[in-house]
């Protein structure tokens, strides 16, 4: 098998189907959306360079540049004025609350900027961590505000964004106005001779003569240059707003450390819940399985002991039944131990352990493990249980006649892929088993991607971080 440049195998880009499916579902198929979908499809047939000037994204980004100038001036004036006032008053205690007010106001303006970036630029910026005063009252709030790195980053944004907003406003508006003015010049050039008293746009003039754009050739060249500028303008605007995106994400969003802490807290909750569920499952299996059989075994042996002298044949039959119960209980205990952590995985690694799982599947399974070295035991265990659960789904729900398991390493990731030729339709959403499995993988920075169109086949790819044993 060939390896995909990003780690996926065969021709299947693991995200392709889900993206197509979401796109189709988002457009809808009722009559009310046919015209709009048809117009969108017609627009998409144009090359990107031709449709960019009339795309909604370009207009939204241009609107963002226009709004940036007045809002950035407000933010700059607030930040500079309040900070200067606060620093100047630090010789008295009044300067401390003034500085806190400057930071609080900057945070409020930053919240407005995040809303504007989300609506016009499509930038999903998380809300930064809130203030956490150690004590109640105004002093606790002032202390928390002054110690908050988020607040100071909002103040810095107010100072830095204004010069860039002036530049972006001037450049974006100049390109926009110049391009459309020159492109539409053949439509409105009559304004000059009618109302201005000259033959057209003046290129040069002195006391002796003047040059105007007034003949068909000059008008055509002007419109052609206008078309060129108009086609370039969206990409200029896009480049300008890219800097705005970086500033909003870097200064107004949560810090990388804070985001990582939130993610780890969420993952810790998933791990704790998963461990608790596993403990409940083990307790239930022991109580309902091996423990119940051992209780019956004790009762049978007690009856056999009483019957031994007076009815040896019945006692022998009871001992035989007890022997069968012992073997069944031992098998259940072995299965339970295998479900916790199989010995073959510890001793011989993923290849042998997955082959043992595949042998118990209801359909023939081909297993290929292409690993030069073994990963860390924790990652190896997660990969094993992922394949085990996926093959259980194949046996129970897929209706497949064959399945394949591939395990390989792609740079710093361990890739696990399970394929079956069943009926498809598997989804990793809601309360499905695949959703729970995706949550377990996410707890260790893993990813689960499901490609399962109606009618099949199904290809589930799990991606785990590679850690050495």
């Amino acid at each position: 098998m060939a390896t995909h440049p990003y780690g996926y195998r065969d021709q299947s880009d693991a995200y392709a189907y889900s993206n197509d499916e979401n796109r189709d579902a988002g457009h809808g198929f009722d009559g009310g959306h046919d015209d709009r979908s048809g117009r969108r499809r017609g627009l998409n047939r144009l090359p990107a360079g031709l449709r960019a000037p009339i795309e909604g994204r370009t207009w939204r980004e241009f609107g963002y540049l226009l709004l940036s100038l007045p809002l950035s001036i407000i933010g700059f004036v607030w930040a500079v004025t309040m900070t200067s006032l606060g620093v100047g008053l630090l010789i008295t205690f009044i300067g401390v609350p003034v500085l806190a007010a400057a930071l609080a106001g900057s945070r409020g303006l930053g919240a407005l900027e995040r809303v504007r970036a989300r609506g016009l630029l499509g930038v999903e910026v998380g809300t930064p961590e809130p203030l956490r005063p150690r004590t109640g009252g105004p002093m606790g709030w002032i202390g928390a505000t002054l110690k908050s790195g988020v607040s100071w980053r909002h103040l810095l944004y107010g100072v830095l964004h204004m010069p860039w907003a002036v530049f972006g406003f001037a450049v974006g508006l100049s390109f926009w106005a110049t391009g459309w003015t020159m492109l539409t010049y053949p439509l409105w050039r009559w304004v000059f001779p009618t109302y201005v008293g000259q033959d057209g746009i003046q290129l040069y003039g002195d006391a002796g003569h003047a040059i105007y754009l007034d003949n068909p050739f000059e008008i055509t060249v002007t419109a052609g240059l206008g078309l060129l500028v108009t086609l370039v303008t969206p990409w200029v605007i896009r480049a300008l707003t890219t800097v705005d995106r970086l500033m909003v994400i870097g200064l107004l969003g949560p810090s990388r450390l804070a985001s990582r802490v939130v993610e780890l807290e969420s993952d810790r909750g998933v791990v704790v819940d998963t461990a608790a569920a596993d403990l409940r499952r083990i307790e239930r299996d022991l109580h309902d399985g091996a423990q119940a059989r051992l209780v019956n075994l004790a009762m049978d042996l007690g009856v056999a002991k009483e019957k031994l002298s007076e009815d040896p044949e019945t006692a022998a039959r009871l001992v035989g039944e007890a022997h069968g119960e012992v073997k069944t209980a031992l098998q259940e205990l072995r299965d339970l131990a295998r479900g916790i952590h199989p010995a073959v995985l510890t001793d011989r690694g993923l290849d042998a352990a997955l082959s043992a799982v595949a042998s118990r599947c209801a359909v023939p399974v081909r297993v290929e493990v292409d690993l030069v070295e073994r990963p860390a035991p924790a990652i190896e265990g997660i990969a094993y249980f992922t394949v085990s659960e996926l093959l259980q789904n194949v046996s129970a729900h897929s209706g497949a006649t064959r399945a394949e398991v591939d395990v390989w390493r792609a740079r710093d990731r361990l890739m696990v892929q399970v394929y079956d030729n069943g009926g498809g339709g598997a989804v990793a959403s809601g309360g499905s088993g695949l959703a729970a499995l995706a949550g377990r993988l996410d707890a260790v920075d893993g990813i689960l991607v499901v490609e399962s169109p109606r009618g099949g086949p199904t290809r589930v790819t799990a991606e785990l971080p590679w850690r050495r044993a």
Side-chain angles (χ1 to χ4, degrees):
M1 287 187 176
T3 302
H4 190 275
Y6 294 97
Y8 299 100
R9 289 195 169 187
D10 294 328
Q11 74 283 2
S12 66
D13 180 351
Y15 293 97
Y17 174 75
S18 60
N19 289 341
D20 292 342
E21 185 180 47
N22 293 336
R23 183 172 64 249
D24 293 340
H27 286 177
F29 296 95
D30 57 345
H33 291 79
D34 286 345
D35 293 340
R36 185 172 63 186
S37 299
R39 289 194 299 270
R40 186 182 291 114
R41 287 193 295 269
L43 181 62
N44 289 339
R45 291 192 184 100
L46 293 174
L50 294 179
R51 68 172 184 265
I54 56 177
E55 279 185 329
R57 173 183 176 179
T58 302
W59 289 86
R60 288 192 298 270
E61 291 177 342
F62 181 60
Y64 183 90
L65 292 178
L66 295 182
L67 288 174
S68 289
L69 181 61
L71 292 178
S72 66
I73 291 175
I74 294 174
F76 181 84
V77 171
W78 171 268
V80 172
T81 303
M82 293 296 291
T83 303
S84 301
L85 181 61
V87 172
L89 292 174
L90 280 179
I91 193 172
T92 66
F93 181 75
I94 299 176
V96 176
V98 171
L99 277 177
L103 296 174
S106 297
R107 288 184 71 123
L109 293 173
L112 175 61
E113 287 295 299
R114 286 194 297 272
V115 172
R116 192 165 67 95
R118 187 178 300 115
L120 297 178
L121 299 183
V123 178
E124 290 298 331
V125 184
T127 303
E129 56 271 23
L131 296 176
R132 293 185 175 90
R134 294 185 178 181
T135 60
M139 296 307 299
W141 175 84
I142 291 174
T145 303
L146 294 175
K147 293 178 181 178
S148 171
V150 173
S151 301
W152 289 101
R153 283 193 284 114
H154 280 65
L155 183 70
L156 181 62
Y157 177 86
V159 175
L160 296 180
H161 187 244
M162 198 275 286
W164 175 255
V166 172
F167 176 79
F169 178 90
V171 174
L173 184 60
S174 298
F175 269 85
W176 189 279
T178 301
W180 285 104
T181 298
M182 295 176 67
L183 177 62
T184 59
Y185 181 57
L187 302 177
W188 59 271
R189 62 168 299 274
W190 55 268
V191 171
F192 286 91
T194 302
Y195 296 102
V196 183
Q198 64 185 39
D199 295 333
I201 296 178
Q202 184 177 352
L203 292 182
Y204 172 80
D206 55 24
H209 67 284
I211 300 177
Y212 299 98
L213 300 175
D214 56 357
N215 61 61
F217 174 76
E218 294 172 346
I219 294 173
T220 302
V221 171
T222 301
L225 293 176
L227 176 62
L228 179 62
V229 176
T230 301
L231 294 177
V232 170
T233 297
W235 309 104
V236 173
I237 292 175
R238 201 157 296 178
L240 294 172
T241 53
T242 297
V243 178
D244 286 283
R245 287 185 175 91
L246 295 176
M247 294 181 69
V248 171
I249 295 173
L251 295 176
L252 301 184
S255 64
R256 183 173 299 180
L257 177 60
S259 300
R260 185 59 177 165
V261 168
V262 172
E263 181 181 353
L264 291 176
E265 288 177 348
S266 175
D267 292 346
R268 181 184 62 183
V270 173
V271 171
V272 171
D273 293 341
T274 300
D278 289 340
L279 288 175
R280 288 193 297 270
R281 176 182 60 82
I282 294 171
E283 181 182 7
R284 183 179 63 251
D285 291 344
L286 285 173
H287 182 273
D288 297 340
Q291 180 179 343
R293 293 191 180 279
L294 291 175
V295 170
N296 292 333
L297 172 63
M299 295 175 62
D300 290 344
L301 288 177
V303 174
K305 181 180 178 180
E306 295 176 356
K307 297 284 186 180
L308 185 60
S309 57
E310 57 187 48
D311 191 355
E313 293 182 358
T314 302
R317 179 177 57 80
L318 291 174
V319 170
E321 293 176 355
H323 183 255
E325 288 288 334
V326 169
K327 292 193 292 184
T328 304
L330 287 174
Q331 183 59 43
E332 290 182 350
L333 288 174
R334 290 193 190 98
D335 294 338
L336 182 60
R338 187 184 297 115
I340 298 173
H341 194 86
V344 65
L345 179 62
T346 303
D347 297 337
R348 301 172 58 190
L350 276 173
D351 197 355
L354 295 182
S355 298
V357 172
S359 66
R360 299 193 295 270
C361 187
V363 301
V365 181
R366 180 191 63 80
V367 177
E368 180 179 343
V369 178
D370 183 14
L371 295 176
V372 178
E373 58 181 327
R374 294 178 62 174
I379 300 300
E380 195 174 52
I382 294 173
Y384 170 83
F385 289 112
T386 298
V387 173
S388 179
E389 186 163 342
L390 291 175
L391 289 182
Q392 288 179 14
N393 290 341
V394 171
S395 299
H397 308 296
S398 69
T401 58
R402 64 182 179 87
E404 300 175 1
V405 176
D406 290 292
V407 181
W408 72 99
R409 179 182 177 181
R411 295 188 290 275
D412 60 344
R413 308 293 282 182
L414 176 64
M415 310 297 297
V416 177
Q417 191 173 90
V418 177
Y419 165 90
D420 69 78
N421 63 346
V427 292
S429 61
S432 66
L434 289 177
L437 186 58
R440 291 192 179 193
L441 294 177
D442 184 63
V444 293
D445 291 335
I447 300 173
L448 185 75
V449 180
V450 180
E451 181 190 3
S452 183
R454 292 290 179 182
T458 296
R459 191 185 305 272
V460 181
T461 304
E463 180 181 333
L464 293 165
W466 178 271
R467 295 168 189 158
R468 294 180 180 275

